[in-house]
Amino acid sequence: MATAKAPPALVGWREMVGLPDLASVRIPAKIDTGARTSSLHATDIERFDRDGQRWVRFLLDLGQGRNEAVTCEVPRADRRIITSSNGEAQDRFIIRTRLVLGEYAFRAEFSLADRSDMKFPILIGRTALKSRFLVDPGRSYLQSTRQERKLLKSQG
């Protein structure tokens, strides 16, 4: 007998997400079904080898006006040509890491890019959302905790 698959969870156009392998705090993210690949705001990106394996080191912006970025080191970074929102093709590092969105935790791919001109340090694209989430573009923080929603509301 086949087990019924749970229906996709509902997310708003912006959510607080966790990247537990990279940072201990939750980070604001924009949910973007127009983007195929998810993206992290990363600076000072450098590739290096450790134990014969390709790694990448970068500074991760935590958003919400936090002054200090987190230094991250991730194994097996690949490179791929990504077309940005302005139509420009860019060669970017691609990493895989755990993403926590609400009660859901799963591995997702992220391109590393300078998102300093964007409001959100993380963009969650449709590949990470596929078969897991439905997006309500008129609502926000549907998968965020009550405490987070209260704090975000007080911040404007």
Side-chain angles (χ1 to χ4, degrees):
M1 181 185 301
T3 305
K5 187 176 178 183
L10 194 60
V11 295
W13 73 271
R14 55 188 171 174
E15 294 287 346
M16 296 297 288
V17 301
L19 300 171
D21 297 333
L22 303 178
S24 61
V25 298
R26 301 209 351 127
I27 306 168
K30 179 180 180 186
I31 307 300
D32 186 352
T33 60
R36 176 182 303 144
T37 307
S38 299
S39 180
L40 297 179
H41 177 40
T43 57
D44 298 333
I45 303 167
E46 60 180 315
R47 183 192 164 280
F48 65 99
D49 291 322
R50 178 182 290 160
D51 299 326
Q53 194 174 27
R54 279 183 290 181
W55 284 61
V56 67
R57 178 183 302 119
F58 58 94
L59 295 178
L60 174 65
D61 185 325
L62 302 175
Q64 293 190 314
R66 295 182 183 112
N67 290 332
E68 292 188 31
V70 173
T71 300
C72 301
E73 292 184 348
V74 180
R76 288 182 292 200
D78 294 321
R79 291 187 85 126
R80 191 178 307 152
I81 301 297
I82 302 289
T83 303
S84 67
S85 59
N86 65 8
E88 180 183 323
Q90 299 173 338
D91 184 17
R92 296 186 187 172
F93 284 103
I94 306 293
I95 66 165
R96 286 186 57 83
T97 191
R98 283 187 304 152
L99 170 65
V100 178
L101 181 49
E103 297 179 4
Y104 303 88
F106 52 96
R107 292 186 62 75
E109 276 191 348
F110 290 89
S111 71
L112 303 181
D114 183 346
R115 295 183 49 80
S116 57
D117 57 341
M118 307 292 181
K119 184 174 180 180
F120 294 89
I122 299 178
L123 181 138
I124 306 297
R126 66 180 177 268
T127 302
L129 299 167
K130 185 179 177 182
S131 302
R132 295 181 178 101
F133 302 99
L134 292 176
V135 181
D136 183 339
R139 298 179 66 193
S140 299
Y141 306 114
L142 299 177
Q143 292 294 319
S144 299
T145 67
R146 183 176 296 162
Q147 288 177 317
E148 285 173 329
R149 287 192 301 269
K150 189 175 182 178
L151 178 63
L152 291 162
K153 191 174 184 179
S154 72
Q155 293 174 348

